[in-house]
């Protein structure tokens, strides 16, 4: 059994072991529906997805081995445009998120992958969210002066992580560790990209599963979703409840047919459901799936 298969089996057994944490209620989302398949070979290791501000478009990116760039795709998985981050060298980009600053939308490309937990710090690259127009060039460069670099350091030592989000309510950054026996939730307390170039990540609590590969929070902040390779975990957030209080509650496990290597998840902009997409290991197809809310 190769390493990937070992991880998949371990993650599957661990997820099953923790199904007891799921709420016993009616299904929240319909079965996943494939909307389109990735055909472009440049998008073969997709590790992050974010619903774009422009309806029916998504931001996606590859992980280790690719350069600093993001792709805009539509719901049929057709590549619309590639955006290159000038003068940026990345190690392992594992997720993408959004933050609102002075009522303007900025994207966060998270270079946080660290399989062996040897990086002394990891990086975030923050830049204005591009607005695509029909007829734009196939590749557009984001100038160095538009990109802000934030250095992150874990308070308790290096961690591998592939999942993060920014709470639209408290504007703080949350990262979920991957390879701990129970994934750990890390939080910032002074996340202000316009003022702070260096931020410490503080461990706050453990989750009832391991190998987290993706996470997102709804645009209104009223729901949180985290996935590993074999399961999707969902929490509804009550008014005046913090992210940490929400994640401390029992989770709902969403029915899910595992993807070849599913490492990306995002809520819809209008709250009607969420999407997943995966890498394409061994030449397997990668699909954009939609989970519609009941």
């Amino acid at each position: 059994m190769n390493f990937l298969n070992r991880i998949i089996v371990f993650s599957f057994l661990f997820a099953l072991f923790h199904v007891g944490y799921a709420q016993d209620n009616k299904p929240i989302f319909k079965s996943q529906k494939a909307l389109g398949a990735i055909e472009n070979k440049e998008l073969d290791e997709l590790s992050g997805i974010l619903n774009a501000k422009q309806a029916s478009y998504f931001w996606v990116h590859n992980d280790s081995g690719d350069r600093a760039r993001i792709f805009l795709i539509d719901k049929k998985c057709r590549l619309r445009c590639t955006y290159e981050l000038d003068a940026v060298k990345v190690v392992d980009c594992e997720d993408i998120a959004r933050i609102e600053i002075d009522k303007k939308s900025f994207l966060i490309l998270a270079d946080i992958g660290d399989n062996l937990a040897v990086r002394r710090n990891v990086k975030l690259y923050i830049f204005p969210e591009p607005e695509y127009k029909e007829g734009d060039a196939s590749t557009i460069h984001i100038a160095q002066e538009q990109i802000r670099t934030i250095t992150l350091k874990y308070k308790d030592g290096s961690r591998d992580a592939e999942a993060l989000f920014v709470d639209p309510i408290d504007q703080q950054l949350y990262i979920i560790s991957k390879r701990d026996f129970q994934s750990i939730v890390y939080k910032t307390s002074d996340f202000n990209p316009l003022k702070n170039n260096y931020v410490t990540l503080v461990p706050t609590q453990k989750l009832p599963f391991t190998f987290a590969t993706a996470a997102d929070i709804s645009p209104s902040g009223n729901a949180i979703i985290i996935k590993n390779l074999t399961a999707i975990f969902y929490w509804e957030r009550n008014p005046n409840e913090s992210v940490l209080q929400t994640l401390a509650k029992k989770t709902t496990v969403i029915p899910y047919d595992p993807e070849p290597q599913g490492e990306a998840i995002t809520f819809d902009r209008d709250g009607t459901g969420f999407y997943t997409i995966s890498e394409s290991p061994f030449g397997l197809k990668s699909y954009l799936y939609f989970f519609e809310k009941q």
Side-chain angles (χ1 to χ4, degrees):
M1 184 181 293
N2 64 31
F3 177 75
L4 177 60
N5 286 337
R6 288 176 187 270
I7 290 297
I8 291 174
V9 170
F10 173 72
S11 184
F12 178 71
L13 292 175
F14 204 83
L16 284 180
F17 181 75
H18 287 82
V19 165
Y21 282 79
Q23 296 175 10
D24 184 17
N25 56 8
K26 64 180 181 180
I28 300 174
F29 297 92
K30 297 179 182 178
S31 298
Q32 65 207 70
K33 177 182 178 181
L35 302 181
I38 293 292
E39 302 291 348
N40 192 301
K41 293 183 179 179
E42 288 192 281
L43 284 65
D44 61 344
E45 292 195 23
L46 295 181
S47 188
I49 186 170
L50 180 69
N51 209 300
K53 279 283 191 179
Q54 292 174 269
S56 301
Y57 291 128
F58 302 86
W59 298 110
V60 295
H61 64 84
N62 293 318
D63 56 17
S64 59
D66 202 2
R67 57 190 184 271
R69 59 179 178 170
I70 60 174
F71 309 94
L72 187 72
I73 63 171
D74 61 22
K75 285 189 175 181
K76 296 295 184 181
C77 292
R78 294 172 295 200
L79 177 59
R80 293 291 183 162
C81 192
T82 300
Y83 294 82
E84 301 267 1
L85 277 62
D86 286 349
V88 172
K89 292 184 178 180
V90 295
V91 178
D92 188 2
C93 295
E94 290 290 355
D95 209 352
I96 186 169
R98 177 182 288 106
I99 185 170
E100 299 286 337
I101 303 174
D102 295 334
K103 297 183 179 181
K104 296 180 182 179
S105 179
F106 290 77
L107 298 182
I108 303 173
L109 183 60
D111 184 5
I112 58 174
D114 188 9
N115 290 346
L116 300 179
V118 295
R119 298 176 66 179
R120 296 186 64 181
N121 51 59
V122 292
K123 305 283 188 180
L124 304 179
Y125 299 100
I126 303 178
F127 50 93
E129 181 168 0
E131 184 175 346
Y132 172 74
K133 298 181 180 63
E134 291 287 346
D136 278 353
S138 59
T139 300
I140 293 176
H141 289 262
I142 299 174
Q144 182 180 5
E145 56 267 22
Q146 291 186 288
I147 304 167
R148 187 164 180 82
T149 302
I150 308 296
T151 299
L152 302 176
K153 185 174 183 179
Y154 294 91
K155 186 175 182 179
D156 56 347
S158 300
R159 288 290 189 278
D160 184 30
E162 297 186 359
L164 90 165
F165 59 84
V166 175
D167 180 11
I169 296 174
D170 71 13
Q171 294 292 294
Q172 292 305 303
L173 179 79
Y174 296 82
I175 288 183
I176 317 300
S177 74
K178 179 179 180 182
R179 298 179 190 274
D180 293 288
F181 188 66
Q182 286 183 265
S183 289
I184 300 172
V185 180
Y186 287 85
K187 179 182 181 295
T188 60
S189 59
D190 55 353
F191 189 61
N192 187 329
L194 297 183
K195 294 182 179 180
N196 301 328
N197 297 326
Y198 188 94
V199 178
T200 299
L201 293 163
V202 178
T204 60
Q205 63 197 79
K206 294 181 179 180
L207 297 171
F209 50 84
T210 188
F211 224 71
T213 60
D216 197 21
I217 190 167
S218 64
S220 67
N222 68 351
I224 299 169
I225 201 160
I226 303 174
K227 78 179 300 298
N228 58 22
L229 291 178
T230 60
I232 295 175
F233 307 90
Y234 175 83
W235 294 260
E236 290 188 349
R237 182 183 185 186
N238 296 322
N240 301 317
E241 190 174 70
S242 71
V243 165
L244 299 182
Q245 288 172 324
T246 299
L247 294 178
K249 299 187 301 186
K250 289 185 177 181
T251 182
T252 299
V253 178
I254 305 300
Y256 170 58
D257 293 329
E259 299 156 280
Q261 193 168 337
E263 297 186 358
I265 197 165
T266 185
F267 277 104
D268 202 341
R269 294 295 303 166
D270 59 10
T272 60
F274 66 89
Y275 301 84
T276 65
I277 204 164
S278 76
E279 295 189 15
S280 307
F282 317 115
L284 297 172
K285 281 281 189 182
S286 169
Y287 294 90
L288 176 66
Y289 288 106
F290 180 54
F291 296 71
E292 185 179 5
K293 199 165 187 179
Q294 298 271 37

